[in-house]
Amino acid sequence: MNIAIDAGNSRIKWGVHDGNRWLDSGVLATADVAWLSEAADEWPAAARVAICNVAGREVAASIADLLARRHAQVSFLHASAEACGIRNAYERPWQLGADRWAALIGARALLGSTCLVVCAGTATTIDRLDASGLFRGGLILPGYDLMRAALASNTAQLPFAEGVFRSEPRNTMDAIVSGCLQAQLGAVERMFAAIATEPGACCLLTGGGAAPLAAHLRIPFQLTDNLILSGLVRYAESL
Ligand SMILES: Nc1ncnc2c1ncn2[C@@H]1O[C@H](COP(=O)(O)OP(=O)(O)O)[C@@H](O)[C@H]1O
Ligand SMILES: CC(C)(COP(=O)(O)O)[C@@H](O)C(=O)NCCC(=O)O
Ligand SMILES: [K+]
């Protein structure tokens, strides 16, 4: 039995996996990390726990503390030069976010072909994994909600926009929504253009902000819930 915990900048996602399927899962705001202990009370005590955390030391310490009282086998995943059949071409491999590393491990377990791994969370990351298992590099940009929030908080006239995606927006709300979405989509599609001719090239899309991107992407893609959690299970199984 494995428990996977993905602590992101907005939300903590967790799941209990029995080797074949997810038995239980949940989501909470990262600010409410203390509530994770309620969920942990229900987890099987003998399970291995694998965690990726990009939400800072305090969140890591809170999670480690609440698990120490319940689970003996707790491992935090950190990016490295190589793990689970993936090699990391980052200049400083350990600098790569642990969530991106977990997503790459999850992607490799799902596909053997070249792919783009897109995690649409607080930030959007767009990572290139080749058919040999080499992570070649990737992009970090503000997520779609963060882009809209940045406009709202740094301009006098722009609100946090709830508009409609249009090719030729003719009001402020639609212009913001369309601009921020086009920025996300354009980055993904431009990165995909570099791998499009490779056999089986595909884009895996995950994260809380995946749906608005999925609605408009013009490349072959798979929406994959739990990509990061699946990568964590794979990592836990490799220990
Ligand atoms: N119900 C929701 N609560 C919070 N965020 C949501 C919700 N639905 C969609 N989102 C979007 O999902 C993002 C968080 O996704 P997630 O993958 O959990 O990110 P992170 O790993 O950065 O915490 C938010 O920035 C927001 O854009
Ligand atoms: C890029 C991220 C902020 C994404 O975090 P998220 O949106 O999932 O909360 C996180 O993976 C991170 O802090 N990475 C470290 C820097 C890097 O990956 O190069
Ligand atoms: K992300």
Side-chain angles (χ1 to χ4, degrees), residues 1-6 12-18 21-28 36 39 43-44 47-51 226 228-230 232-233 236:
M1 198 78 75
N2 289 299
I3 293 155
I5 303 173
D6 166 22
I12 297 172
K13 285 71 63 180
W14 60 266
V16 180
H17 197 271
D18 73 355
R21 62 192 185 94
W22 296 103
L23 300 181
D24 196 8
S25 63
V27 183
L28 64 156
L36 192 62
W43 296 340
R48 277 178 299 203
V49 189
I51 305 152
N226 296 337
I228 294 172
L229 294 179
S230 301
L232 285 169
V233 168

Side-chain angles (χ1 to χ4, degrees), residues 99 119-125:
D99 55 346
C119 299
T122 313
T124 296
T125 56

